[in-house]
Amino acid sequence: MLRRPKPTDSEADLLREQEHFLTSGAPSAASVVRRPDKRRGEAGEGEGLSGENEGSQRDVVTIEDLPDQLPSLTPAPPKKSRFKASRVTFEDEDAGERLDRHDTHISAVLSRIVERDTSSTPISLPAFTGMAFPKVLHRSETSNQNLHIFSSTNTFWKIFFLPSIPSSSSLCSVEPAAVSGPRLVSGQGLQGPHSSGETMRIHVENQAKLQAMSQSEILEEQKKLLSQLDAGPKIVWRGCFWLPNCHFHLQCYAVFTTMDVSVNTEEDLPVKPQKEWVHMDKLEPEKLEWLRDLPEPRRKGTKKAMQARFDFAGTLIPPTEDLPMHLGLHHHGEEPERAGYSLQELFLLSRSQVIQQRTLSLSTLANILSKARAGEYMSVLKGSVTSTLLDAGLLFLLRFALDDSVEGVMSAAVHALKALLVCAEDEECLDCTFSWFRGLASFPLLPSAQEEEDEEDEGLDESMKETAKEKEERKSDHEVARQDAVKGLLKMKLLPRLRYILEVVRPSPRVVQDVLEILTRIARHSSSSATQVLDCPRLMETVMSEFLPTSWSPSSQSIYGLPLSSAMKLLRVLATSGRHACARLLNSLGASERLSHLLSAEPNELLLEPTESLRITTEAYRLWAVAAGYGQACKLYLDLYPALVTALQSVHRLPPASDPLLPLQLQRFLALLSLLTQVTHTAGCHQELQAGMVSSGGEECPPPPPVSWGHVTGLQTSLMGHLKGFIKNLDDPLQKDGSLTLIPVYLVYLAAYYHQLSRQVLPHSLIFFFHTRSSSVVCNAQAITLGPEITNNLPGLACTGWRNRPGLVAPSSPFPLLTGLGLLLETITGIHKGLSSKVGLAVPLDLEIARHASLYHQVALVVLPWLLPGSEYLAHELLSTIVFSKDFISEGHSGGPEAVELGELKLHEETQKDTSPSLQTVGTLLREACVQLPSIRGCFLTHLAHLESSVIVSRDALLGHNPWIKSHLLPELTGPILPSDWPFLPLVSLYEQAGVSDGGGLAVEELPQRALQAVTHCLQWLLLLEVWREEALKVVLPVAKFARLSCVFLCSSDLFLERPVQRLTWGLFRLSTKLDSLDLNVPPPGLASFQDLYSALVSQYEAVSFGDRLFGCWVLLPLQRRYSITMRLAVFGEHVGMLRSLGVTLEQLSIPIERFTSPPEDSLPLLRLYFRSLITGTLKRCWCPVLYVAALSHVNSFIFSQDAAAQEVETARHSMLRKIYYLTDEVLLSF
């Protein structure tokens, strides 16, 4: 029998098969029939057959060979059709209709195609293989895959087989021939006139094959068919199968059981559909499942974290709470049995096409943010809600929602944005402290995170680097918002949209209030943000015309056309950003005219609600106080002087304590006193400015204000009488709280009055303690980082719950009274020198006062590193008057150095050892340091000279030089003015100038002038602090002290060899070796790791030490057994050459040798290095005594240890013993 060619056959195999076929004489499977030429009337082969065979003869179509020559373009003879005679035509038939009826063009075919629905058909990609072509799939090799037409998921199966499935009850009673099946089974689908006979022939052939097969072969073929069917729904079916391994058809009766079939009947559905129900003619069980009862929520608590869900009010719903369905908190999302919405679901709902859903989701997010700001989720939620929402893109979501054309959605977005940006308690806290000393000043709410330098700018010249503005413009909105939320919103054009909402949309009063509060928060961000608010086209004009009109009539319909206190507060915050912004508000935008209209009448005459009239007049006084703080709006003081006197007289008509308007009345009166304080400061500068204009010709000096000292002197008597009255009211319980609220502001006013009266410089007195604190009485740098909902890109003041917790700004805090009283005492003692001794505030000359001088000094040292930007003048005064004053270091002139010397002498007698080289003792060094205190002060002030401009600005603000003040907004809060390790400042500065460069070696060849003197003064001050003011240096970690003192050796090749430096560094080293808290595993501040610093120290020692004992002690200190092994490996591995010059003795080191030898070393690589250095003679006792003893002790302990160890350790131990056997060094063998 001839076989078919295979793909693997070669050409020789094909030729051999062809020759075998020709020699066998077998008939070919196909014959070539020549097609006749109809145009010539030729008859083809087989055309002369009789009519009997004509019907059964098949038409064979062949492709004629292409001609070698192209056909001629001349007209050919007309074609003759051989089928034309067999067609019946009528004369009256339209030729066009006949053409359309017989048209077989592709357009006619495609127009009658009806596509099958394949939307539910699964699409599966072929699996990836390493073969060049996919493997041919045989049905016999498939099992339980949807690769055949009988699969339950196959469309062919569903369309052609499922409609013809008989019921299971009829299978047993109906004969196989009578079962109606699909066309393929009955034979109707077969082509040809004798299809039924072909079916019977196949059946007979299959029966014969089945009879010839054994029972086991039949079962095997049945298993193959079952394996090719799906494991899903199995049905009862009778059909015709094609066995893949046989060349015949098999008609069988197979009964398959139903497995995992989910047949939905009406009894299984949650409801029984009715005919009259709309759109219920087609059952959808998966949708009707939502009509079932929800499963019960969990009844027991769990420690496993669960997704937080909130109700529409923003309240967190516990997982175990079962709420009724009518509340609308159940939905078709995840966990349908739990009520409430997750943050992810609210985000999805906010982009819904349904207006109500968008509005509801945004309102819910606003409520969640408000509760998160109030700290209600701290104890129940893990992480920060605000941070999570910002990371998810809340800013962009709200910004898109602001552009919604539906006012309800837009209003909800405004409310959510206000809840995100504005903290109501922060604003209340700032308002309550406005009248305190320096209460006008506040820090900008800028993110504290510093940007990293771009990698693209590394290595470029300063002129080639991009500016900060260019980098900002190049960043995307997402990058800007991730670093600074407010700046990101400004970049997304928030201000023009808010202007459109106010001017065109004209929303409800609540939305207007939210917009104004958002603008206020943006203005607090920075001076540049405040400038953008002022520069936004028509924004401030709309605010002034609609919410601060010059005339109005009471109306309950809308707040448009009525003055609002929130709008006046916006002007006040904008004015705080700078004197130029304040001048624009007063002059260009007409704020001065608004102040005249609001403050010229009593609050009850303003045709407003009582609470609103008190609030807006309070904000008007505050705005005026800010303007007077720049020396502006002083002419208004002359115009409204009668109204101000009338307002002052109303202090005697304050309502009783039970009146709800009393807090607003007190705040209004406090704002009035703040205004008078600032006007007094401005008037006190009039004479100085007048003289300055005459001497300078009016070029550089600011013009004198219109108010002079004579305009304010008349108020002092009246205010002094008020103060006396409030002090008497302290005995009355009903008036005590109100009096304590007003007295501090009176004290601040009197201090300003007397200070401007005298125009004397502040004296050198201890009263600085009372006001040596941040210039912002609210901002707490530590509290900002502890706030639960304070994020890096959206900082705040962390004043949540400030009324109910102890603190400086709490209502019961004595802080405002102490600062006001201290300021007044400082002023009057400066005027009357004789009062200093009476109140105990002068330099401690009296013995009773001198007894506490050291305490004052310690307090000044503790306060100094806590001063924040804006208090540079206070820091300068502390350094100039107290910190370096010998009068406050009583130990220097009361036997302190002698006591230290006696202590050292006693230690020497007990140990009978020379604990240091033959240098002067620490007592002598302290005596010299006390003598050099003025020079030490000059050294530190020189290194702080870069703060001179900040000191001048801070001085003008503190002393009330209002015409020179540029802004009431304090510098950016990047940390304290002085670092906690400021006593090391000269040493660190010298290292930065001349220290080790990146490529190794010194950055400069010679030290700057007077470098030795600066280092000496720095070391003297450090020694003094270490001995007598140890508490002041406790804020500096011991590892940080060691790292800073290491600069003595790193900043120069010979600085540490100078005798003054040697003496002082020896003294500091002896003090540092007594500390057991030195932990070198903690990275020093400013360094990545201590190992990097030690590597630089060792390299410097090898290069320039010349065996110096002090440098050697410094290098040996980190090699103690308790510290990291990395440093010992570096010495004995990479820097083994330094062992020859490390000749520090045990007596000079003043560290017990047990700290180097105990416990025994367990690092096998280090032990091998120890052994190698001993055997090779690299480490000798005469060269390096300390490390020689340590290495010998560890090697001995290792070799002669009896403890069980791993095989590698035992092998190393035996190897060392064998090498010792051949050792010739008698000295080493003796150990």
Side-chain angles (χ1 to χ4, degrees):
M1 181 176 180
L2 298 175
R3 68 179 182 85
R4 294 178 62 83
K6 298 180 179 179
T8 57
D9 291 346
S10 62
E11 187 176 359
D13 296 335
L14 295 177
L15 293 176
R16 185 163 53 256
E17 291 294 333
Q18 181 181 359
E19 184 178 359
H20 178 62
F21 170 73
L22 295 176
T23 56
S24 63
S28 59
S31 60
V32 180
V33 179
R34 180 179 177 80
R35 187 177 63 182
D37 191 352
K38 295 180 289 185
R39 292 174 296 180
R40 297 181 180 181
E42 298 179 357
E45 299 180 8
E47 198 171 307
L49 296 176
S50 60
E52 298 176 356
N53 301 330
E54 192 171 336
S56 60
Q57 186 178 2
R58 295 181 179 180
D59 187 14
V60 180
V61 180
T62 60
I63 298 177
E64 188 177 5
D65 296 336
L66 295 175
D68 297 335
Q69 301 292 333
L70 294 175
S72 176
L73 298 178
T74 56
K79 297 182 179 181
K80 297 180 181 180
S81 175
R82 56 183 296 189
F83 305 104
K84 184 177 181 181
S86 61
R87 295 174 181 170
V88 179
T89 58
F90 301 94
E91 293 183 357
D92 56 348
E93 184 178 6
D94 187 7
E97 294 181 359
R98 185 170 69 250
L99 182 61
D100 292 339
R101 187 168 59 252
H102 296 285
D103 186 16
T104 57
H105 191 263
I106 185 64
S107 60
V109 175
L110 293 178
S111 64
R112 290 190 293 270
I113 291 178
V114 178
E115 291 190 7
R116 184 180 57 195
D117 184 16
T118 60
S119 59
S120 60
T121 305
I123 301 174
S124 59
L125 299 175
F128 292 97
T129 63
M131 304 174 58
F133 297 95
K135 182 181 177 181
V136 178
L137 181 65
H138 297 280
R139 289 186 58 82
S140 61
E141 300 177 4
T142 62
S143 63
N144 201 19
Q145 296 181 6
N146 298 335
L147 301 175
H148 43 78
I149 64 173
F150 304 109
S151 171
S152 63
T153 59
N154 194 288
T155 308
F156 182 85
W157 168 277
K158 294 179 180 178
I159 294 178
F160 292 99
F161 287 90
L162 290 182
S164 60
I165 295 176
S167 62
S168 58
S169 60
S170 63
L171 282 175
C172 301
S173 59
V174 181
E175 292 297 326
V179 176
S180 62
R183 298 174 59 188
L184 180 61
V185 178
S186 63
Q188 298 180 10
L190 300 177
Q191 295 183 355
H194 304 290
S195 58
S196 59
E198 182 69 15
T199 304
M200 291 304 301
R201 186 186 67 78
I202 293 174
H203 175 66
V204 172
E205 182 180 355
N206 287 342
Q207 290 290 342
K209 289 293 183 180
L210 284 174
Q211 293 176 3
M213 297 173 64
S214 62
Q215 186 67 21
S216 60
E217 292 176 346
I218 294 176
L219 293 177
E220 183 180 358
E221 291 297 332
Q222 185 179 5
K223 289 181 180 180
K224 289 183 179 180
L225 290 174
L226 288 174
S227 64
Q228 296 173 10
L229 293 177
D230 222 1
K234 303 296 190 301
I235 61 173
V236 180
W237 179 73
R238 169 186 179 270
C240 177
F241 291 87
W242 172 263
L243 295 181
N245 296 333
C246 304
H247 297 284
F248 58 87
H249 293 285
L250 173 63
Q251 188 176 18
C252 62
Y253 304 96
V255 179
F256 305 111
T257 60
T258 303
M259 299 176 60
D260 300 332
V261 180
S262 57
V263 180
N264 291 288
T265 62
E266 292 187 359
E267 289 76 10
D268 298 334
L269 295 176
V271 294
K272 186 176 181 180
Q274 304 295 330
K275 293 183 179 180
E276 60 271 13
W277 290 0
V278 181
H279 301 307
M280 291 298 290
D281 51 345
K282 181 180 179 181
L283 290 179
E284 295 179 289
E286 63 278 3
K287 295 183 178 180
L288 293 177
E289 286 297 320
W290 286 105
L291 297 177
R292 294 186 184 275
D293 293 336
L294 293 175
E296 295 290 333
R298 63 169 69 235
R299 292 300 180 185
K300 296 182 179 180
T302 177
K303 293 184 179 180
K304 183 179 179 181
M306 301 187 67
Q307 191 175 30
R309 294 189 173 276
F310 306 87
D311 62 7
F312 299 132
T315 305
L316 185 67
I317 301 178
T320 58
E321 188 169 355
D322 189 10
L323 296 178
M325 306 297 174
H326 69 272
L327 297 178
L329 297 175
H330 294 80
H331 51 84
H332 297 179
E334 297 179 356
E335 302 176 325
E337 70 278 6
R338 289 187 56 191
Y341 287 82
S342 65
L343 296 179
Q344 181 180 2
E345 291 165 351
L346 290 173
F347 265 63
L348 182 64
L349 203 63
S350 65
R351 306 307 298 166
S352 172
Q353 294 183 357
V354 182
I355 297 174
Q356 291 81 357
Q357 290 181 349
R358 298 202 303 271
T359 307
L360 187 64
S361 63
L362 293 173
S363 300
T364 305
L365 286 174
N367 296 332
I368 292 173
L369 287 169
S370 299
K371 292 182 179 294
R373 285 279 191 175
E376 296 187 13
Y377 305 136
M378 291 177 56
S379 59
V380 292
L381 288 184
K382 182 180 180 181
S384 170
V385 175
T386 306
S387 178
T388 302
L389 290 173
L390 288 176
D391 293 342
L394 178 64
L395 282 180
F396 297 92
L397 175 68
L398 298 180
R399 181 61 188 90
F400 298 155
L402 286 177
D403 293 335
D404 202 300
S405 58
V406 180
E407 184 177 348
V409 179
M410 180 270 299
S411 301
V414 171
H415 186 53
L417 187 61
K418 178 253 181 181
L420 174 65
L421 296 180
V422 182
C423 181
E425 291 184 291
D426 286 356
E427 293 294 330
E428 291 177 7
C429 192
L430 288 172
D431 292 343
C432 289
T433 58
F434 180 85
S435 300
W436 291 10
F437 174 66
R438 294 287 289 144
L440 276 68
S442 62
F443 283 103
L445 298 181
L446 286 169
S448 58
Q450 299 292 330
E451 296 186 22
E452 297 181 359
E453 187 175 356
D454 259 350
E455 295 181 359
E456 302 175 359
D457 293 343
E458 292 183 0
L460 296 178
D461 296 333
E462 293 295 330
S463 59
M464 299 294 293
K465 291 183 180 180
E466 290 184 336
T467 62
K469 184 178 181 180
E470 293 174 345
K471 291 180 180 179
E472 195 72 27
E473 293 176 352
R474 188 163 50 90
K475 290 180 181 179
S476 63
D477 294 348
H478 172 70
E479 293 175 343
V480 176
R482 183 168 51 86
Q483 296 175 357
D484 192 333
V486 174
K487 191 176 292 185
L489 289 171
L490 293 176
K491 188 176 178 63
M492 289 186 280
K493 307 297 182 183
L494 174 67
L495 295 179
R497 183 59 184 173
L498 295 181
R499 190 271 312 162
Y500 176 83
I501 292 173
L502 292 178
E503 184 182 20
V504 179
V505 179
R506 300 174 72 89
S508 62
R510 178 189 176 187
V511 178
V512 172
Q513 295 285 355
D514 290 345
V515 171
L516 294 176
E517 291 182 16
I518 291 172
L519 293 175
T520 303
R521 174 60 179 84
I522 294 175
R524 288 196 186 276
H525 174 266
S526 62
S527 58
S528 62
S529 300
T531 303
Q532 292 187 51
V533 174
L534 286 172
D535 293 340
C536 181
R538 301 200 311 276
L539 174 60
M540 292 308 301
E541 287 79 0
T542 302
V543 172
M544 299 298 290
S545 61
E546 299 291 347
F547 310 116
L548 288 174
T550 55
S551 59
W552 61 91
S553 58
S555 173
S556 60
Q557 301 295 330
S558 174
I559 61 174
Y560 278 81
L562 293 177
L564 298 180
S565 60
S566 54
M568 186 62 72
K569 181 178 180 179
L570 172 61
L571 298 188
R572 188 244 300 178
V573 175
L574 289 172
T576 307
S577 63
R579 63 183 305 110
H580 297 292
C582 183
R584 289 179 60 181
L585 291 172
L586 294 174
N587 303 322
S588 301
L589 295 175
S592 180
E593 184 180 0
R594 271 74 175 179
L595 292 177
S596 299
H597 284 79
L598 291 171
L599 299 179
S600 59
E602 290 291 329
N604 55 7
E605 300 175 359
L606 294 179
L607 301 180
L608 296 173
E609 294 290 334
T611 56
E612 183 63 21
S613 61
L614 289 175
R615 287 194 179 99
I616 194 169
T617 52
T618 301
E619 289 299 335
Y621 280 130
R622 289 172 179 170
L623 172 60
W624 193 1
V626 171
Y630 298 123
Q632 301 174 357
C634 292
K635 187 177 183 301
L636 197 61
Y637 171 80
L638 303 177
D639 299 336
L640 296 181
Y641 186 82
L644 294 178
V645 174
T646 304
L648 281 176
Q649 294 174 353
S650 65
V651 71
H652 300 290
R653 300 192 302 270
L654 288 176
S658 59
D659 195 328
L661 295 179
L662 177 60
L664 296 178
Q665 291 277 14
L666 290 177
Q667 289 296 322
R668 177 175 176 271
F669 197 74
L670 291 175
L672 173 59
L673 291 176
S674 299
L675 166 64
L676 298 179
T677 302
Q678 296 302 324
V679 173
T680 301
H681 278 303
T682 303
C685 302
H686 178 87
Q687 184 177 359
E688 181 180 353
L689 291 175
Q690 188 70 34
M693 282 193 64
V694 174
S695 60
S696 62
E699 297 179 358
E700 299 179 359
C701 185
V707 60
S708 63
W709 184 248
H711 294 134
V712 298
T713 54
L715 296 176
Q716 187 266 343
T717 304
S718 175
L719 293 177
M720 179 65 76
H722 292 174
L723 177 60
K724 293 178 180 180
F726 288 126
I727 293 176
K728 291 180 181 180
N729 292 338
L730 292 178
D731 297 331
D732 187 357
L734 297 177
Q735 301 182 9
K736 179 179 178 181
D737 293 337
S739 299
L740 286 176
T741 303
L742 294 173
I743 286 175
V745 187
Y746 276 97
L747 295 177
V748 173
Y749 166 78
L750 292 177
Y753 178 83
Y754 288 123
H755 172 71
Q756 295 298 336
L757 178 64
S758 62
R759 299 299 292 167
Q760 294 183 9
V761 183
L762 285 172
H764 299 170
S765 60
L766 287 177
I767 196 59
F768 280 104
F769 163 65
F770 289 107
H771 60 271
T772 50
R773 54 159 186 43
S774 168
S775 291
S776 174
V777 293
V778 177
C779 187
N780 186 348
Q782 300 299 322
I784 287 180
T785 60
L786 299 178
E789 296 296 334
I790 300 298
T791 59
N792 291 332
N793 60 344
L794 193 60
L797 299 179
C799 291
T800 303
W802 64 278
R803 292 184 179 275
N804 303 320
R805 66 182 183 186
L808 295 179
V809 294
S812 59
S813 171
F815 185 74
L817 180 61
L818 288 177
T819 53
L821 180 60
L823 186 64
L824 179 59
L825 289 176
E826 180 186 28
T827 304
I828 62 177
T829 52
I831 298 173
H832 194 293
K833 302 296 183 181
L835 293 177
S836 300
S837 59
K838 295 183 179 181
V839 297
L841 296 176
V843 173
L845 300 176
D846 189 82
L847 294 179
E848 292 295 328
I849 301 174
R851 181 182 304 175
H852 305 288
S854 60
L855 176 61
Y856 299 155
H857 190 253
Q858 292 177 20
V859 171
L861 289 174
V862 172
V863 169
L864 185 60
W866 283 85
L867 294 177
L868 298 179
S871 303
E872 290 84 0
Y873 178 71
L874 297 179
H876 179 270
E877 290 297 307
L878 278 177
L879 292 173
S880 302
T881 58
I882 298 178
V883 173
F884 296 105
S885 175
K886 63 180 180 180
D887 297 321
F888 292 96
I889 306 177
S890 58
E891 296 85 351
H893 49 79
S894 61
E898 290 77 8
V900 175
E901 289 177 349
L902 289 176
E904 290 185 341
L905 181 60
K906 183 178 180 181
L907 179 63
H908 175 72
E909 292 177 353
E910 292 176 354
T911 58
Q912 292 298 324
K913 293 181 181 179
D914 186 11
T915 56
S916 65
S918 57
L919 299 174
Q920 296 183 14
T921 62
V922 175
T924 305
L925 297 176
L926 288 173
R927 190 179 296 108
E928 295 177 357
C930 291
V931 175
Q932 295 293 330
L933 277 176
S935 301
I936 296 174
R937 177 180 59 191
C939 173
F940 277 89
L941 291 178
T942 302
H943 281 83
L944 296 175
H946 63 280
L947 297 175
E948 182 180 1
S949 59
S950 301
V951 170
I952 296 175
V953 173
S954 175
R955 182 197 62 188
D956 292 337
L958 185 67
L959 301 183
H961 298 171
N962 290 351
W964 288 272
I965 295 177
K966 301 296 182 183
S967 173
H968 292 301
L969 203 61
L970 297 172
E972 182 180 352
L973 183 59
T974 57
I977 302 171
L978 298 179
S980 58
D981 59 347
W982 67 270
F984 299 87
L985 186 60
L987 196 55
V988 176
S989 300
L990 181 62
Y991 172 74
E992 292 177 351
Q993 297 176 17
V996 179
S997 62
D998 296 336
L1002 298 178
V1004 295
E1005 296 181 358
E1006 296 182 0
L1007 290 176
Q1009 293 182 357
R1010 307 186 68 180
L1012 176 60
Q1013 185 179 3
V1015 172
T1016 303
H1017 291 329
C1018 178
L1019 295 177
Q1020 286 175 335
W1021 178 243
L1022 290 171
L1023 185 63
L1024 188 148
L1025 293 179
E1026 285 285 356
V1027 177
W1028 291 332
R1029 298 291 182 265
E1030 187 178 0
E1031 295 292 330
L1033 285 180
K1034 278 192 174 181
V1035 294
V1036 185
L1037 296 176
V1039 64
K1041 296 180 184 178
F1042 186 88
R1044 270 54 173 175
L1045 289 175
S1046 299
C1047 297
V1048 173
F1049 306 98
L1050 295 176
C1051 63
S1052 174
S1053 61
D1054 56 357
L1055 179 63
F1056 60 92
L1057 298 176
E1058 298 289 343
R1059 183 172 177 81
V1061 177
Q1062 282 264 330
R1063 294 165 55 202
L1064 292 166
T1065 310
W1066 268 117
L1068 290 169
F1069 175 76
R1070 291 178 57 191
L1071 294 174
S1072 63
T1073 54
K1074 299 177 183 179
L1075 297 176
D1076 294 332
S1077 59
L1078 180 60
D1079 185 6
L1080 301 183
N1081 295 323
V1082 178
L1087 296 176
S1089 66
F1090 183 81
Q1091 283 76 14
D1092 298 339
L1093 173 64
Y1094 188 73
S1095 178
L1097 273 175
V1098 172
S1099 300
Q1100 184 79 343
Y1101 181 84
E1102 284 186 308
V1104 300
S1105 70
F1106 298 104
D1108 181 69
R1109 297 296 187 264
L1110 174 61
F1111 203 166
C1113 290
W1114 213 261
V1115 172
L1116 284 174
L1117 183 62
L1119 298 181
Q1120 300 179 49
R1121 179 65 179 86
R1122 58 177 176 155
Y1123 297 135
S1124 174
I1125 192 178
T1126 308
M1127 293 174 284
R1128 298 194 291 277
L1129 286 173
V1131 171
F1132 282 89
E1134 304 171 8
H1135 305 280
V1136 69
M1138 66 179 291
L1139 299 177
R1140 189 177 180 88
S1141 60
L1142 200 57
V1144 180
T1145 63
L1146 297 177
E1147 293 77 11
Q1148 293 171 343
L1149 186 60
S1150 68
I1151 298 177
I1153 191 61
E1154 289 78 14
R1155 295 192 178 184
F1156 293 88
T1157 60
S1158 179
E1161 186 62 60
D1162 55 358
S1163 173
L1164 190 57
L1166 182 56
L1167 287 168
R1168 287 172 175 167
L1169 292 176
Y1170 284 160
F1171 185 76
R1172 186 184 67 179
S1173 61
L1174 291 171
I1175 294 297
T1176 58
T1178 307
L1179 180 60
K1180 293 185 178 182
R1181 186 174 184 179
C1182 58
W1183 293 343
C1184 187
V1186 177
L1187 294 184
Y1188 179 85
V1189 174
L1192 191 61
S1193 174
H1194 289 304
V1195 171
N1196 280 336
S1197 300
F1198 173 71
I1199 293 177
F1200 300 106
S1201 175
Q1202 301 299 322
D1203 299 335
Q1207 182 64 33
E1208 182 183 3
V1209 176
E1210 291 293 340
T1211 303
R1213 185 176 297 162
H1214 287 81
S1215 175
M1216 291 182 184
L1217 283 172
R1218 286 194 300 269
K1219 293 179 181 179
I1220 291 175
Y1221 180 76
Y1222 297 103
L1223 188 63
T1224 59
D1225 191 346
E1226 298 295 337
V1227 178
L1228 190 59
L1229 281 174
S1230 64
F1231 289 104

